[in-house]
Amino acid sequence: MDEHKWNESEIKQKMQTLVDKESIQWMQERSQKIITLMSYYKCAMMEVETKLNVLNEEFSLQYDRNPISSIKTRLKSFQSIRNKLEHQNLPLDVGTMERNLNDIAGVRVICSFREDIYLLTECLLQQDDITLLEIKDYIANPKPNGYRSLHLILEIPIFLQAGKRNMKVEVQLRTIAMDCWASLEHQLRYKKDTEFTEEMAEELLECAKISEELDIRMDHLRRQVIPKYHDDYGLVTERIIVK
Ligand code: 0O2
């Protein structure tokens, strides 16, 4: 027998026969709250993206070069949010989402050089409306599989009609080489139909080391080619690095 495909009004009717009115209203209210919260995260993500674009523009004017190669933003999918909360045995409601998930709004910044990552981080953290909640330096301390990036959890205000609301945004900063490795690793590791062997993991780790070597050599070249920029900012890495 062919499965019947329900249209929206049939679903509504069926719901009314199966679930009481109060429960339907409760579900609608809850989904409305989640949609509103997601739009707040979107606004916070846009704020951070704008701040980064402003810094990039300023550096472009001052030094005739861009520390940012590209910026990607994403809101965590509702399914990933649900999975993450389920995994932690937490209920799916807006309060729990806000308190326990730091990466609903995500900004990924692909930088030209490794030192640009620390320079941009320093410039962002100097801004008085940004609070740093957490920093994970997987560049100074790469993950055992070779993953490198600088992760920040920031709190930033958005200004709504009803007033100010602080929102959390996860910012991942990486070089082009780090992004290349992480994107390919992600594709390879999540291929469902092939087993990921120990040898494959070792090969990936080797590739991560090559990408690290590439970044170090590129930074060295950059210091020779653009000394003015380096003289102004010095070795930012040494000031901000997380041991
Ligand atoms: P997506 O789709 O990118 O959002 P937490 O997020 O705090 O609960 P954890 O592991 O402490 O968990 O966070 P961490 O270490 O800051 O890393 C989270 C994110 O970093 C991941 O998000 C990835 O984007 C990226 N990441 C971390 N480790 C790796 C890695 O080994 N390979 C790759 N390619 N990316 C990594 P999500 O939620 O996994 O996915």
Side-chain angles (χ1 to χ4, degrees):
M1 194 177 72
D2 274 353
E3 201 183 315
H4 177 70
K5 294 251 183 317
W6 301 93
N7 65 37
E8 215 171 300
S9 76
E10 282 176 316
I11 295 173
K12 233 176 184 169
Q13 271 181 11
K14 197 82 189 154
M15 287 263 285
Q16 275 160 6
T17 59
L18 292 172
V19 190
D20 62 283
K21 236 179 173 173
E22 283 75 31
S23 301
I24 294 177
Q25 200 182 343
W26 179 82
M27 281 190 268
Q28 281 170 343
E29 274 171 21
R30 195 158 79 151
S31 64
Q32 189 54 50
K33 278 186 185 161
I34 291 177
I35 291 168
T36 307
L37 181 69
M38 293 306 277
S39 80
Y40 293 164
Y41 277 114
K42 189 174 171 203
C43 295
M45 205 168 71
M46 289 179 340
E47 291 273 354
V48 173
E49 189 181 13
T50 302
K51 281 176 178 293
L52 287 160
N53 281 325
V54 168
L55 288 170
N56 204 34
E57 182 65 24
E58 191 195 351
F59 275 90
S60 160
L61 280 173
Q62 208 167 342
Y63 297 102
D64 200 24
R65 67 171 291 271
N66 295 105
I68 299 176
S69 166
S70 64
I71 302 177
K72 297 172 198 163
T73 57
R74 72 104 184 86
L75 274 184
K76 208 170 184 69
S77 72
F78 192 64
Q79 195 183 337
S80 306
I81 293 175
R82 231 181 46 210
N83 291 345
K84 207 162 179 178
L85 289 176
E86 252 172 39
H87 191 70
Q88 297 175 33
N89 276 323
L90 292 168
L92 179 62
D93 62 64
V94 287
T96 314
M97 275 166 67
E98 268 201 285
R99 276 191 303 277
N100 295 279
L101 303 184
N102 292 334
D103 63 341
I104 294 180
V107 179
R108 187 169 288 160
V109 194
I110 316 302
C111 295
S112 305
F113 295 96
R114 211 172 45 141
E115 282 179 11
D116 291 332
I117 293 174
Y118 294 99
L119 173 64
L120 283 168
T121 301
E122 193 170 64
C123 292
L124 261 189
L125 298 185
Q126 272 168 7
Q127 302 189 7
D128 60 12
D129 55 348
I130 283 192
T131 308
L132 176 69
L133 299 180
E134 193 180 325
I135 181 164
K136 288 185 196 165
D137 191 344
Y138 295 126
I139 300 172
N141 309 294
K143 285 199 169 181
N145 65 354
Y147 176 78
R148 292 182 305 134
S149 278
L150 184 71
H151 290 194
L152 314 172
I153 306 295
L154 304 179
E155 191 174 65
I156 179 166
I158 57 167
F159 295 89
L160 303 162
Q161 289 177 58
K164 190 170 96 167
R165 200 175 201 287
N166 287 323
M167 303 299 301
K168 286 188 237 173
V169 178
E170 184 193 62
V171 183
Q172 297 182 351
L173 298 108
R174 17 170 113 150
T175 60
I176 300 166
M178 291 174 201
D179 189 52
C180 170
W181 183 91
S183 305
L184 300 182
E185 186 261 1
H186 189 266
Q187 280 185 38
L188 293 170
R189 204 173 279 274
Y190 292 95
K191 262 270 159 268
K192 289 191 180 76
D193 41 14
T194 320
E195 189 207 347
F196 201 80
T197 63
E198 196 65 27
E199 287 75 36
M200 291 172 180
E202 274 169 28
E203 181 63 7
L204 264 180
L205 184 57
E206 201 48 46
C207 292
K209 285 179 185 154
I210 295 171
S211 96
E212 186 176 9
E213 175 67 21
L214 181 66
D215 275 334
I216 292 169
R217 290 171 72 168
M218 285 295 182
D219 260 346
H220 186 68
L221 271 173
R222 197 213 59 167
R223 270 178 238 163
Q224 294 170 48
V225 177
I226 326 168
K228 165 86 175 83
Y229 174 83
H230 186 67
D231 289 347
D232 282 2
Y233 284 94
L235 251 182
V236 190
T237 320
E238 281 168 7
R239 296 203 290 274
I240 208 166
I241 214 156
V242 182
K243 302 268 190 250

